[in-house]
Amino acid sequence: MSNVEEGKRPQFGGRVLGDGDDVFKHNAWDNVDWDEEQEQTARKAVEEAAAVRVAAEAAEQYEEEADKYWDTFYGIHQNRFFKERNWLFTEFPDLAPNYKAPVRVFKNKESNEKTNEEEFNTNENKQENENRETNVVEESKQLESEANSFDQDAVLKLREGESWFGENSTFRVLEIGCGTGSTVYPILEVNTDSGLMVYSCDLSITAVNLVKEHKDYSQQRCNSFVCDVTKDWSEAPFQPESLDIVTAIFVLSAIHPDKMEAVATNIFKYLKPGGQIFFRDYGRYDMAQLRFKKGKCIQENFYVRGDGTRCYFFTQKEIEEIFTKVGFVQTQNLVDRRLQVNRGKKLKMYRVWIQAKFMKPL
């Protein structure tokens, strides 16, 4: 792994659990290292749960009707399940080059320090997460008035004479697996460049409609559409080699492992030379994986939830192989570990995520 960024983000990476510290003093701790015993315990738990697999017929149904399961999911949860990802511009500053987000300081490859940031808000750590995001949120709010008053005339003029939607845009971003817009709307709010075009797609028509119903949805700056990203993208509203950035944030894990390479191939086709993909997803032995019981494993490290949606848990090597195999150059690959605790119930919850960046060669 060469030229790969490694390190921790100073703003959110400072609460480290030391020897003798009371683990229940705070709701969360950063950069929590695992020892061999903990790794073996997690591995054993995964192996035991995988001893009883999902029946082949049921597994096939989950694959064939994946869109229906996600439609049902979003129909129930609407836009309440996911929180807008205010950490985006610290982790992936290229999404809004003119926005002054907190900057990550990278160590060299030999450093053992890694980055941490939570993705979901549980009841136990909600207040902790909100406190730790305050600086980013406040800075984002400073730009809210600008975002809501971007140059409409300039954007409308940009659209004139286009043969495809966004042809005249100077900066094009695609979010795959957009859900209800957790990535779309922070980008639209913070990046006020009149040349911005944000595309977003999801397998679920319900999710896409929820994105379109958002109060900040602008037909001139964003386009949301239904797409199975494992298949042909010819109906997409953009052209091959037209995208500057593609985000894949907690989406590849919902796709059957046999089809992940096809997704990477499609992304490579539609990115410009020099374009980037920003990836963040579940890591191996994350708390969510350890909670699966027998009968929920479809195949190794790939599970079905009670609502019929599915989830895979990655290693760094797997992510590297998926994207470099189709031609990408890896520029970042981090294990993001965090210990969350329920101080009332004295419970420890270990989160593990993988964050990576890849570039299409010039």
Side-chain angles (χ1 to χ4, degrees):
M1 192 187 303
S2 60
N3 298 321
V4 178
E5 298 170 342
E6 296 194 27
K8 72 173 183 179
R9 177 175 3 93
Q11 182 180 0
F12 298 126
R15 180 167 289 167
V16 178
L17 183 63
D19 293 338
D21 285 343
D22 178 5
V23 69
F24 297 107
K25 182 179 180 180
H26 300 289
N27 289 338
W29 299 88
D30 302 307
N31 307 320
V32 179
D33 291 327
W34 287 34
D35 57 27
E36 183 60 29
E37 181 180 358
Q38 184 173 357
E39 186 97 4
Q40 289 179 356
T41 300
R43 187 181 303 113
K44 183 179 179 181
V46 168
E47 291 173 352
E48 289 178 351
V52 179
R53 299 291 179 95
V54 172
E57 183 178 347
E60 184 176 351
Q61 179 182 347
Y62 292 131
E63 174 64 24
E64 293 178 350
E65 300 183 7
D67 59 336
K68 296 179 181 179
Y69 287 111
W70 282 109
D71 277 337
T72 300
F73 173 88
Y74 287 113
I76 294 172
H77 296 284
Q78 297 291 304
N79 60 359
R80 297 184 298 273
F81 189 78
F82 295 108
K83 182 180 180 181
E84 287 190 356
R85 295 155 174 166
N86 296 299
W87 46 265
L88 278 171
F89 310 103
T90 293
E91 302 300 341
F92 307 123
D94 289 347
L95 290 171
N98 294 325
Y99 176 56
K100 302 301 182 183
V103 177
R104 181 200 296 272
V105 176
F106 292 103
K107 304 292 183 178
N108 59 30
K109 185 177 180 182
E110 285 69 34
S111 173
N112 290 322
E113 295 179 292
K114 298 180 175 65
T115 176
N116 282 279
E117 173 60 356
E118 57 279 0
E119 172 63 14
F120 298 113
N121 291 294
T122 61
N123 291 333
E124 294 83 3
N125 70 359
K126 182 177 180 180
Q127 186 60 52
E128 177 77 11
N129 294 349
E130 289 177 350
N131 291 341
R132 298 166 70 79
E133 287 183 349
T134 297
N135 290 341
V136 178
V137 174
E138 289 303 317
E139 289 185 20
S140 180
K141 285 181 179 179
Q142 291 176 12
L143 296 180
E144 185 172 0
S145 59
E146 297 178 22
N148 292 333
S149 59
F150 63 90
D151 194 337
Q152 290 273 10
D153 292 337
V155 175
L156 289 172
K157 187 175 182 179
L158 204 64
R159 300 281 83 84
E160 293 177 0
E162 289 185 331
S163 60
W164 50 275
F165 195 72
E167 179 182 14
N168 296 333
S169 296
T170 56
F171 186 59
R172 305 185 193 94
V173 178
L174 167 66
E175 181 189 14
I176 63 173
C178 62
T180 59
S182 299
T183 296
V184 171
Y185 288 105
I187 295 174
L188 289 172
E189 179 181 341
V190 170
N191 189 331
T192 58
D193 184 353
S194 61
L196 172 70
M197 172 57 67
V198 180
Y199 303 101
S200 63
C201 66
D202 200 283
L203 183 65
S204 167
I205 188 172
T206 303
V208 169
N209 286 337
L210 286 169
V211 171
K212 291 181 177 180
E213 291 168 4
H214 193 283
K215 62 182 178 63
D216 294 329
Y217 187 79
S218 167
Q219 293 281 1
Q220 303 303 322
R221 299 186 78 215
C222 54
N223 185 299
S224 188
F225 60 101
V226 177
C227 181
D228 181 345
V229 294
T230 69
K231 298 179 180 179
D232 180 55
W233 289 19
S234 60
E235 298 300 316
F238 43 78
Q239 300 294 304
E241 296 199 338
S242 65
L243 301 174
D244 294 278
I245 291 174
V246 173
T247 65
I249 299 176
F250 292 90
V251 60
L252 203 62
S253 55
I255 294 170
H256 195 288
D258 293 347
K259 297 184 176 182
M260 292 178 183
E261 186 178 328
V263 178
T265 299
N266 282 329
I267 294 172
F268 191 89
K269 177 180 178 180
Y270 284 88
L271 270 175
K272 296 176 180 178
Q276 299 183 84
I277 177 168
F278 298 153
F279 173 92
R280 187 173 175 86
D281 219 319
Y282 296 103
R284 189 68 46 83
Y285 307 142
D286 177 65
M287 174 188 72
Q289 181 177 18
L290 302 183
R291 284 181 170 178
F292 281 106
K293 307 300 182 183
K294 291 181 179 179
K296 294 296 184 180
C297 184
I298 298 173
Q299 64 184 61
E300 191 172 0
N301 300 304
F302 189 47
Y303 304 82
V304 63
R305 302 183 181 95
D307 58 11
T309 62
R310 299 167 301 170
C311 189
Y312 188 85
F313 297 85
F314 297 95
T315 64
Q316 287 176 281
K317 186 64 176 177
E318 286 173 337
I319 294 303
E320 179 181 4
E321 290 176 350
I322 288 169
F323 289 102
T324 58
K325 186 175 181 180
V326 303
F328 283 104
V329 175
Q330 180 173 268
T331 58
Q332 183 192 75
N333 194 326
L334 301 168
V335 177
D336 189 343
R337 297 184 185 273
R338 186 169 173 78
L339 170 59
Q340 298 170 349
V341 301
N342 181 323
R343 288 185 285 178
K345 297 180 179 180
K346 301 299 181 182
L347 296 177
K348 299 178 184 179
M349 298 167 286
Y350 291 89
R351 305 311 309 262
V352 183
W353 300 294
I354 305 294
Q355 181 168 302
K357 300 178 185 178
F358 298 89
M359 185 183 72
K360 181 174 180 176
L362 292 168

